[in-house]
Amino acid sequence: MPDPVTAPFPWTDVWGQEEAVRALRAAAADPEALAHAWLITGPPGSGRSTLAYAFAAALIAEGPDDEATMRQVLARTHPDVTALRTDKVIITIAEARALVERSYFAPSSGRYRVIVVEDADRMVERTSNVLLKALEEPPERTVWILCAPSEADLLPTIRSRVRPLRLREPEVDDVARLIVHRTGVSPEIAEQAARHAQRHIGMAQRLATDEAARIRRDDTMRAVLGVRGVGDAVEVAGRIVQAATEDAKALTAERDAAERESLLRTVGIAEGQAVPPALRAQVSALEDEQRKRATRSLRDGIDRVLTDLQSLFRDVVLLQFGRTDDLINRELSDQLAALADAWPATRTLDVLDHLAETRESLERNVAPTLALESLLVTVTSGRKP
C-alpha cells in the first residue's frame, strides 16, 4: 500500500481505498459520469467521511490546482458544502428538511453544491422519506453524499436513488502503518492498537495515543474474564457503565462549556450574570441538545465496550475450533485458552448471540446497567436470565 503523503490532494488522508478513490476522481472530472446521489458504505473506521469530504472538495473546486477551495471544503467552511453529522441518537425530521431546503440553493462559488450526510443510518423511516424527492429529482448542480455502515441500514427507496460505493476494510498492518505515520508511536503500540480496535482507524489512533484508554480496555477485558457469579456480574457491569459515563463526560464537557459560553456571549450576557427570563428558552434548548448528545456519547462508549467483548469471545471460539492465529486479544491468550477448555463452543456462541442482543437492546433505550448485568450473568452461568 502506498504512503498516504504520495496521494494527490485532496485525497491525501484517504487510506487504503484506491479503487474508491479512482471511481470518485473519475466522476468528479466527468460531468457525464457523475451521479447526483452517492452512498458510501463501509465498516466503522474505514474512512467513509474522509472520502466523502475529499469527493466534495474535488467536486466544488474548479480543478486539481484549486487547492485553496479544496482546503476550505475539507475544513467544512466552504459555503457550497452542507454537512450533517449528528451527535444525537437519530437525525430529526427538522434536520432533514433543512438539508432538503439547502439542496435547492444554486452553488455560490463552486462547480456544485454538495450535501454530505455522515450518519445516514440514523434516519428513521419518516425522516428518510423527507429526502426521497430531493434524491430523486435534485437540482442539476447538487450532489448528495450519504455515508452508512452498509446499504441495509437505509430504506430500499433510498438505496434505489443512489449510486453505491462500498469501501474495503483495511488490514491490521495497513492501519498500524497509518497510525505510525500520523502519530509517531512505536510500531508495536500501533499494531496492538490497530488489532484491538479491529481495524477502526479512529479508535486505533485513540488507543495508540491514549495510554489511559489502553489500560481501561485491558482492565475491562480482565474484569469480564474474572466474573464468577451474579455478584461479580453486577459489580463489573456497574464499573463498565461508570467508566463509560466518565469517558462520555470528558469528551463532551469542554464542548458543552464552549457552546454555552458562545451562546451567552452572542446574546450579551456576561460571565456569571443571571440569564434573563426572556432568554432562558434558548439556554434550555441548548442544554436539551447537549443532554441528547451526552446520551449518544454514553451509548457509543458502551457499544465500544461490547465490540471489545465480542472480540474476546470471538477469540475463544477460534481457540475452541483449533485456531490459534489471528487472535485479536493475544495479550490474554492464556486466560482465553483456559476459558476455551472450560466450557463448550455452544456456550460461547450463546454469549456472542446475547452480546448482539444487548447492542440491539441499548438502541431501544434499555437501561445500560441492566443490559450489561443480564449479559454478564449469561457469561458466568451459560444461561440467559
Side-chain angles (χ1 to χ4, degrees):
M1 180 173 297
D3 192 300
V5 299
T6 63
F9 194 79
W11 312 93
T12 46
D13 286 335
V14 179
W15 181 255
Q17 304 294 345
E18 290 83 0
E19 290 185 13
V21 168
R22 280 196 295 270
L24 295 183
R25 289 182 68 190
D30 182 4
E32 297 298 323
L34 179 63
H36 64 270
W38 297 72
L39 172 60
I40 299 176
T41 61
S46 58
R48 299 187 304 255
S49 298
T50 302
L51 184 62
Y53 288 108
F55 185 31
L59 287 170
I60 293 171
E62 292 298 331
D65 296 328
D66 188 7
E67 188 169 315
T69 295
M70 290 189 282
R71 290 193 182 281
Q72 198 176 358
V73 174
L74 295 178
R76 322 295 198 260
T77 58
H78 194 283
D80 290 333
V81 62
T82 301
L84 176 59
R85 179 186 184 279
T86 185
D87 291 310
K88 296 175 289 186
V89 176
I90 61 170
I91 292 174
T92 65
I93 288 181
E95 289 171 324
R97 285 175 177 159
L99 281 184
V100 170
E101 181 180 350
R102 190 79 177 173
S103 74
Y104 286 98
F105 294 176
S108 61
S109 61
R111 293 190 301 149
Y112 296 93
R113 176 168 297 282
V114 181
I115 312 294
V116 179
V117 184
E118 294 189 33
D119 304 287
D121 54 307
R122 293 187 184 177
M123 293 188 296
V124 297
E125 183 173 354
R126 288 172 52 218
T127 306
S128 297
N129 288 334
V130 172
L131 300 186
L132 286 178
K133 185 173 178 59
L135 291 175
E136 188 173 23
E137 301 175 1
E140 183 178 351
R141 295 173 65 194
T142 293
V143 177
W144 286 79
I145 307 175
L146 311 183
C147 302
S150 73
E151 293 184 36
D153 292 315
L154 277 75
L155 294 178
T157 47
I158 294 287
R159 300 201 300 266
S160 68
R161 289 164 170 80
V162 299
R163 178 175 169 181
L165 186 69
R166 175 73 182 177
L167 303 188
R168 64 178 287 271
E169 188 171 7
E171 298 297 328
V172 168
D173 288 345
D174 298 336
V175 176
R177 286 199 300 272
L178 176 61
I179 299 304
V180 170
H181 173 81
R182 284 184 175 177
T183 68
V185 300
S186 70
E188 293 75 21
I189 289 179
E191 187 277 336
Q192 183 192 69
R195 181 163 34 84
H196 286 177
Q198 298 176 63
R199 297 173 283 191
H200 186 299
I201 294 172
M203 184 54 58
Q205 184 161 324
R206 184 182 180 198
L207 286 173
T209 58
D210 186 344
E211 184 180 9
R214 297 198 299 272
I215 293 172
R216 187 162 54 246
R217 182 190 187 278
D218 185 69
D219 288 346
T220 299
M221 298 300 99
R222 293 180 186 277
V224 170
L225 289 174
V227 169
R228 294 293 182 268
V230 174
D232 290 344
V234 171
E235 179 189 354
V236 172
R239 283 164 51 189
I240 291 173
V241 173
Q242 181 64 30
T245 301
E246 292 173 355
D247 201 28
K249 286 180 179 178
L251 290 172
T252 59
E254 185 175 344
R255 180 177 174 183
D256 289 351
E259 288 176 343
R260 180 181 174 86
E261 180 183 349
S262 176
L263 173 62
L264 295 180
R265 185 172 58 250
T266 300
V267 297
I269 301 175
E271 182 70 27
Q273 182 180 345
V275 178
L279 299 175
R280 287 174 186 166
Q282 295 182 48
V283 176
S284 295
L286 173 63
E287 291 173 346
D288 183 56
E289 289 296 306
Q290 291 175 340
R291 280 192 293 271
K292 291 177 181 177
R293 186 168 64 211
T295 298
R296 181 76 251 176
S297 183
L298 173 59
R299 287 187 184 181
D300 287 347
I302 294 175
D303 190 69
R304 284 193 293 271
V305 173
L306 294 176
T307 300
D308 289 336
L309 294 181
Q310 283 181 320
S311 77
L312 200 69
F313 291 101
R314 169 258 192 202
D315 286 349
V316 173
V317 169
L318 286 182
L319 292 170
Q320 288 172 325
F321 283 94
R323 290 276 304 277
T324 58
D325 59 326
D326 198 30
L327 295 183
I328 293 172
N329 301 279
R330 291 204 298 260
E331 296 77 11
L332 300 172
S333 57
D334 289 345
Q335 296 94 316
L336 296 175
L339 191 59
D341 291 337
W343 64 26
T346 52
R347 178 170 168 179
T348 312
L349 294 172
D350 284 342
V351 171
L352 286 168
D353 286 342
H354 199 180
L355 269 162
E357 293 168 5
T358 301
R359 298 180 79 167
E360 293 174 0
S361 297
L362 291 173
E363 289 296 327
R364 296 194 300 268
N365 292 322
V366 171
T369 303
L370 292 178
L372 285 169
E373 287 176 357
S374 174
L375 169 66
L376 295 180
V377 167
T378 300
V379 171
T380 190
S381 69
R383 299 184 303 275
K384 295 182 182 180

